[in-house]
Amino acid sequence: MLSGENIVKSVSDLLHQLYAMVGLSAFKGVLDPIVAAHVMFGFISVFVMFLVWMERKVSAHMQSRIGPNRVGIFGLLQTVADAIKLTIKEDIKPVHRDKIPYYIAPIIAFVATFAGMVVIPFDKGMVVQDLNIGLLYIIAITSFTVIAILSAGWSSNNKFALLGGFRSAAQIVSYEVPLVLSLVPVIMMTGTLRLGGIVEYQSQNHWFVLYQFIAFFIFITSATAEANRAPFDIPEAESELIGGFHTEYSGVKFAMFFLGEYIAVIVSSAVAVTVFLGGWLPPFAFLAFVPGFIWFMIKLLLVIYLVMAFRWTFPRLRVDQLMDFGWKVLIPVAILNILVTGFCVLFFGKGV
Amino acid sequence: MGAVGHYFSSIVMGFWNLVIGLSVTTKYFLRMKTNTQQYPEERLPLPERSRSMIKLIYDGEKDQFNCVACMMCAKACPNSCIKLEGVRQPDGKRRVTTFKLDFSTCIFCGYCVEACGFDALTFVSEEYENSVYQRGSLLQDEQAMKWVRPAHLTPKTEEPAKVAAPAGATAGA
C-alpha cells in the first residue's frame, strides 16, 4: 500500500544499499540527514515556486485578471524564469554597509525558517526527525527571522530599511506571544509537544479545530503576522518604506529573503494543519485509502490559500492598530482560551 | 460589564466583517471570470466614433475623392500638418490631386474633420495600430489615407436639411 511510511522505508533501504556499494555504511548517521536536507530543500524550492505562481493566480482571479499565462502552460514556468533572473542579476551593495551582518542576514532569514521543516510530519513516519519537543523547536527556530530582519535593516545603512527592521522586531516580538499561547491549550489536552503525537491524539478524538477553533484563528492570524505578510506587512510596507528591510538587497540575497518569507508561510501553515486540522488524517474514515501525505498537502494548500486570501482581501494595519490588535485582542483572548481549556481538562478529563 | 460586553461584541463583529470580506474575494476567485483583453491575440472593437486615424473618404461609385481642395482643413490645422493641392476638372469642379498629412505632428484634434464641409475627411475606428519603424512613414499621402466608407457607416448628418441627401452626394453639392 502506498503510504508515506513505506515510501520513506524503501527509499532509505535503497540509500543504505547505495552506501554499502560505495563502502560508506559506517557514515550512515551523517549521510542520512544530509540526504534528508537535500530532499527537503528540493521539495521546498519547487513548492515555493509553485506557491508564488499560485499567489499570483489567486490574486489575479480575485481581481478579475488573468495573471501569469505566458511562460509555460498556465504560466507555471513564470516563477522559474523569475528565479533565473534573480540569480543572474547584478548584486548591488550599498557602499557604507555593515559588511558581516549584511551578508549573514539573508542566510539567517532562509535557514531559520527552513530549519522548521525538520519536524513537520507529512505522513505517519514521513518526517525528517520527529523531535519530542517539536512544537517548541518550531516556535524557537522560526523566531530567528527577527534577527535576520533586524540586522538586514541595520546593516543596509538606509533609514527606511532600519525603520522596517525596527517595526518588524516590534511586530514579531508582539505576535510571538499569542502564537505560543494559542498552542498551549492543545499541548494541555494532548500532553505532548511531539507533532506526530498530537496527530495521533487527533486520530483517536476529533480534529482540534473543532475544540479549539478560537486558538486556530489566533494561530493563523499571528502566523500571518510572524511571516510579515499582508495585512501585517508593515515591516516592508511598500507605500511607506520602499521595501522595508530588504530595500538594499538585490539578486540572490533578495531571493533568499523572498524564499524565507514563503517558507515561513509553509511552516506555519503546516503547523496549523498538523496541530489543528489533523495532519495526515483523512477527514472521514472511508477516505483512508488515499495516502496520508496527499491529505496533508491538500490541507496545507487550503490553509495557504486562506493566508493568501487574507493578503488580497484585507487592508494593511497601521502600526498602532497592529500593536492594539496584538496586545489588546489576541493575547487576552488566547489567555481566556487557556483558562477555559484548563477548567475543561480539570473537570472533564483529558479527552474534553 | 458594559465595557466587557462591548469588548467581546466588537471582536465578534470585527471577525464577522472580515469573514464577509473573505467571502467576497473568494466568490470572485471561484468565479474565474476575467476582464483582461489579451491584446495581440484579442482585439477590442473600438466605438465607431473613436478618433483612431484620419482618413480621406473615397467615393467608389464616382471613382474620386470627396475632397474638393477647399483648403479649409489646412487652415484649421493648428500644427499646419496638412498640405494639399487641387486642380479644376473639366466638369468645372475642383478635385484634390495631392493630399499629405504628417502624422508625426498631427495631434488628432479633429479640427480638420470639423472644418471639412464636403464630407471628405473623417476619423475611423478600425485602424488604431499607428506606430511605424521610420519617422518618415508617418507622412501619409492620399493613397495611404484612401478609405471607402462601408455601407453601415452612412453619415449621420447633424443638420436636418441634409438628411434627405444621399450619402456621397453631399460632396458634390
Side-chain angles (χ1 to χ4, degrees):
Chain A
M1 187 189 153
L2 186 72
S3 76
E5 209 164 11
N6 294 350
I7 292 173
V8 170
K9 196 169 178 304
S10 53
V11 168
S12 67
D13 283 351
L14 210 68
L15 265 176
H16 292 163
Q17 282 172 20
L18 204 70
Y19 297 158
M21 275 163 63
V22 200
L24 287 171
S25 285
F27 302 102
K28 208 160 68 177
V30 183
L31 286 173
D32 274 357
I34 293 175
V35 172
H38 280 82
V39 169
M40 202 50 104
F41 182 71
F43 165 74
I44 278 290
S45 321
V46 175
F47 195 49
V48 166
M49 281 184 184
F50 172 76
L51 283 188
V52 174
W53 173 83
M54 177 179 154
E55 171 134 46
R56 294 181 63 179
K57 277 289 189 191
V58 165
S59 67
H61 284 292
M62 279 177 180
Q63 298 163 357
S64 294
R65 293 185 288 113
I66 293 176
N69 67 342
R70 293 281 139 179
V71 193
I73 183 165
F74 298 127
L76 266 169
L77 296 177
Q78 181 67 52
T79 338
V80 181
D82 287 348
I84 294 170
K85 184 209 78 174
L86 274 178
T87 45
I88 61 176
K89 233 175 130 174
E90 186 193 354
D91 191 15
I92 301 164
K93 301 178 277 281
V95 179
H96 299 291
R97 67 192 183 278
D98 197 345
K99 282 196 180 104
I100 294 167
Y102 185 82
Y103 282 114
I104 290 177
I107 299 171
I108 297 176
F110 166 68
V111 168
T113 46
F114 179 61
M117 291 304 291
V118 168
V119 293
I120 302 292
F122 287 88
D123 198 347
K124 193 174 168 60
M126 200 180 187
V127 53
V128 178
Q129 188 62 263
D130 204 0
L131 297 176
N132 57 355
I133 51 158
L135 217 46
L136 185 65
Y137 166 80
I138 281 194
I139 291 161
I141 202 94
T142 49
S143 309
F144 270 101
T145 36
V146 70
I147 298 176
I149 287 169
L150 205 50
S151 61
W154 169 258
S155 60
S156 298
N157 194 22
N158 177 325
K159 62 187 168 197
F160 293 113
L162 188 58
L163 276 172
F166 282 161
R167 283 182 178 198
S168 176
Q171 177 181 332
I172 290 185
V173 168
S174 307
Y175 277 83
E176 193 74 16
V177 181
L179 184 84
V180 178
L181 288 182
S182 69
L183 292 173
V184 167
V186 175
I187 300 164
M188 282 158 66
M189 285 168 77
T190 56
T192 178
L193 283 164
R194 196 166 60 84
L195 286 170
I198 292 172
V199 178
E200 277 153 23
Y201 181 90
Q202 293 174 79
S203 72
Q204 285 145 21
N205 299 282
H206 296 291
W207 294 359
F208 268 118
V209 73
L210 295 177
Y211 305 135
Q212 295 289 347
F213 57 93
I214 297 174
F216 175 67
F217 289 118
I218 294 173
F219 181 83
I220 287 284
T221 315
S222 352
T224 315
E226 280 270 297
N228 285 333
R229 282 177 63 85
F232 305 103
D233 64 338
I234 55 160
E236 45 189 296
E238 278 141 18
S239 46
E240 298 163 28
L241 294 175
I242 313 167
F245 58 89
H246 59 59
T247 305
E248 297 289 354
Y249 284 90
S250 60
V252 181
K253 296 201 189 75
F254 173 73
M256 298 275 265
F257 276 118
F258 205 65
L259 203 60
E261 184 191 318
Y262 272 89
I263 296 172
V265 173
I266 295 170
V267 169
S268 46
S269 305
V271 172
V273 167
T274 313
V275 173
F276 294 105
L277 295 176
W280 65 77
L281 301 172
F284 303 104
F286 65 88
L287 288 169
F289 62 90
V290 181
F293 56 89
I294 290 179
W295 282 121
F296 186 87
M297 291 310 286
I298 289 171
K299 291 173 191 174
L300 186 62
L301 283 176
L302 281 177
V303 174
I304 289 175
Y305 168 77
L306 193 65
V307 174
M308 286 177 180
F310 286 170
R311 173 166 179 178
W312 296 100
T313 307
F314 303 141
R316 184 189 301 134
L317 274 75
R318 228 165 43 210
V319 183
D320 59 325
Q321 289 171 338
L322 185 90
M323 291 295 145
D324 270 10
F325 185 61
W327 290 98
K328 290 184 186 168
V329 177
L330 288 184
I331 293 178
V333 171
I335 290 175
L336 265 179
N337 191 26
I338 292 173
L339 207 67
V340 172
T341 312
F343 276 117
C344 288
V345 170
L346 194 67
F347 292 126
F348 305 111
K350 264 197 168 180
V352 173
Chain B
M1 198 57 205
V4 175
H6 179 73
Y7 173 78
F8 283 108
S9 71
S10 68
I11 290 177
V12 172
M13 279 312 293
F15 183 74
W16 178 240
N17 289 339
L18 295 181
V19 170
I20 291 173
L22 275 177
S23 73
V24 170
T25 45
T26 305
K27 200 174 74 196
Y28 271 80
F29 173 66
L30 294 176
R31 203 175 57 169
M32 287 282 174
K33 183 171 167 279
T34 52
N35 297 325
T36 314
Q37 293 285 330
Q38 295 280 299
Y39 164 61
E41 289 98 33
E42 303 170 23
R43 276 147 209 260
L44 203 63
L46 289 185
E48 277 170 13
R49 295 188 59 177
S50 69
R51 300 177 165 190
S52 303
M53 198 61 183
I54 299 172
K55 287 291 177 187
L56 202 57
I57 297 177
Y58 183 77
D59 191 344
E61 289 169 18
K62 294 184 182 170
D63 192 25
Q64 63 187 13
F65 287 103
N66 284 354
C67 180
V68 297
C70 65
M71 304 285 175
M72 289 305 282
C73 51
K75 277 174 192 148
C77 184
N79 291 352
S80 309
C81 54
I82 299 179
K83 300 275 183 296
L84 75 162
E85 285 166 15
V87 292
R88 194 169 291 279
Q89 301 290 61
D91 63 349
K93 300 269 169 63
R94 273 169 67 86
R95 285 291 151 197
V96 68
T97 50
T98 61
F99 187 95
K100 285 198 163 80
L101 207 162
D102 190 358
F103 283 100
S104 63
T105 51
C106 177
I107 57 168
F108 290 82
C109 62
Y111 284 178
C112 52
V113 178
E114 263 178 44
C116 184
F118 294 90
D119 190 29
L121 273 175
T122 184
F123 277 114
V124 295
S125 63
E126 67 262 23
E127 216 182 296
Y128 51 85
E129 286 148 328
N130 298 327
S131 53
V132 291
Y133 286 100
Q134 276 130 23
R135 188 177 292 177
S137 311
L138 287 167
L139 179 61
Q140 294 196 356
D141 64 357
E142 71 276 3
Q143 289 308 315
M145 293 174 66
K146 183 173 167 181
W147 184 72
V148 181
R149 200 202 307 265
H152 70 279
L153 284 178
T154 47
K156 300 175 179 71
T157 43
E158 287 162 20
E159 292 167 53
K162 284 190 177 177
V163 168
T170 47

